[in-house]
Amino acid sequence: MSKIWYKKGEQLLEEIEDFRNVREHVGIWYIGQMGMVFGWKGKVVCVDPVLGAMPDAQGADRRNYPAPFQPQEFCVDYVFCTHDHADHMHAETLKKLAVHNPAMKIFVPNSLVRRLLELGISASQVFGIRQGESLSPDGEFSVRGIATAHEEYRWDENGCSETLGYLFRFGPFCLFHSGDTVVTEEMIGELKREQGIDVLMVPINGRDMERHARGIVGNMDSREACWFGAMTDVDLIIPLHYDMIGGNEENPLVFADYMERLYPDRKYHIMRLGERMVLYKS
């Protein structure tokens, strides 16, 4: 798997910014791990951005490749974080993004709102969301929280899921970003009811006893991800969460092999770092 950015820095930032002029299509960029950027009708939406170091207990950076740009260079309108792990809700990134984008709104599972406020992020920028709740932040798109199981479901004292996937509707386009999760019957049922998901973005790094011994909570693996996409009848599957953190990598070509052998009638795409995809309806 490549750890080389297809686009990064000013070139990537300009491409994202220029897409604000596109009105009828959705832009999708991969920025590492589970980090995705979406462009729709002049707005920039980001999920799980990690734009800084990921130090281990000794202070060494665990990243396999550098961030594509600095958070203080990135103009973004909405950020969604799926759960409270540093490779998804990255404190340094969020604090710097909030300062650089004072009108930006950050959405997190309800139980994590206090955590962001403790980082010093303004209450005017932080919003909670719970499973089953649908929001329309500016009227141009909607998002619904879906409870996920990062190996297992976890609920706070108010019955809110501590981990969420996000179902985005950008006009006629429907995208689901799962965050970290295994496959469950409940998730399959929820997504089946949506009928017509254009893009499914899921982790493929899996789980095993060796990583459990190192305190790593796992996810679905490549075979499960392929099956999940088939069971929910999505149009396109994008595998994620396999490349950024040393000691927790997986080979996305294993995912491709399962797709080719078991689901040869279905679409998938392995995105390069900094690659853009454009969705359109004919």
Side-chain angles (χ1 to χ4, degrees), residues 36-166:
M36 301 296 291
V37 176
F38 308 131
W40 171 250
K41 287 196 172 182
K43 300 298 183 181
V44 175
V45 179
C46 190
V47 183
D48 286 352
V50 182
L51 301 175
M54 285 290 297
D56 61 19
Q58 288 71 45
D61 194 353
R62 294 176 290 159
R63 292 188 65 126
N64 286 322
Y65 48 80
F69 43 73
Q70 296 300 306
Q72 58 269 30
E73 300 174 310
F74 185 29
C75 295
V76 57
D77 301 290
Y78 303 97
V79 172
F80 292 81
C81 296
T82 57
H83 65 288
D84 190 13
H85 281 166
D87 57 335
H88 299 265
M89 196 171 86
H90 189 256
E92 176 191 351
T93 294
L94 296 178
K95 289 190 291 184
K96 290 181 178 180
L97 284 176
V99 170
H100 181 63
N101 301 276
M104 180 187 76
K105 296 179 179 179
I106 305 173
F107 292 84
V108 295
N110 272 348
S111 61
L112 301 181
V113 168
R114 180 177 296 179
R115 168 89 173 101
L116 290 188
L117 297 179
E118 290 171 349
L119 292 175
I121 298 174
S122 169
S124 65
Q125 292 182 280
V126 180
F127 299 84
I129 182 171
R130 63 173 292 155
Q131 70 278 7
E133 182 178 9
S134 293
L135 302 172
S136 184
D138 68 356
E140 293 290 358
F141 73 96
S142 67
V143 59
R144 181 159 70 88
I146 293 181
T148 53
H150 199 358
E151 294 213 25
E152 61 183 10
Y153 286 104
R154 299 196 304 276
W155 315 94
D156 68 11
E157 64 275 11
N158 298 311
C160 298
S161 178
E162 296 181 357
T163 61
L164 290 177
Y166 295 109

Side-chain angles (χ1 to χ4, degrees), residues 154-270:
R154 299 196 304 276
W155 315 94
D156 68 11
E157 64 275 11
N158 298 311
C160 298
S161 178
E162 296 181 357
T163 61
L164 290 177
Y166 295 109
L167 187 79
F168 294 95
R169 290 194 177 275
F170 299 107
F173 305 94
C174 183
L175 289 67
F176 180 62
H177 185 294
S178 74
D180 280 3
T181 188
V182 296
V183 181
T184 68
E185 291 291 343
E186 292 85 354
M187 285 179 58
I188 290 173
E190 283 223 48
L191 296 191
K192 274 186 174 180
R193 288 191 289 272
E194 293 300 325
Q195 297 182 349
I197 295 176
D198 295 292
V199 182
L200 177 72
M201 291 157 277
V202 289
I204 61 167
N205 62 305
R207 58 204 179 277
D208 53 55
M209 290 184 67
E210 186 272 331
R211 281 180 287 184
H212 283 169
R214 290 190 281 124
I216 296 175
V217 184
N219 295 307
M220 65 183 82
D221 63 18
S222 288
R223 185 163 186 151
E224 290 171 308
C226 296
W227 180 74
F228 185 41
M231 289 296 293
T232 51
D233 197 29
V234 302
D235 187 51
L236 173 71
I237 310 174
I238 296 177
L240 301 173
H241 206 304
Y242 57 78
D243 58 359
M244 181 186 286
I245 304 300
N248 195 21
E249 307 100 333
E250 289 295 336
N251 186 350
L253 296 183
V254 173
F255 170 88
D257 179 62
Y258 280 128
M259 288 296 295
E260 295 291 343
R261 290 192 293 113
L262 302 180
Y263 307 100
D265 59 330
R266 294 196 167 273
K267 291 193 302 184
Y268 68 92
H269 184 65
I270 300 171

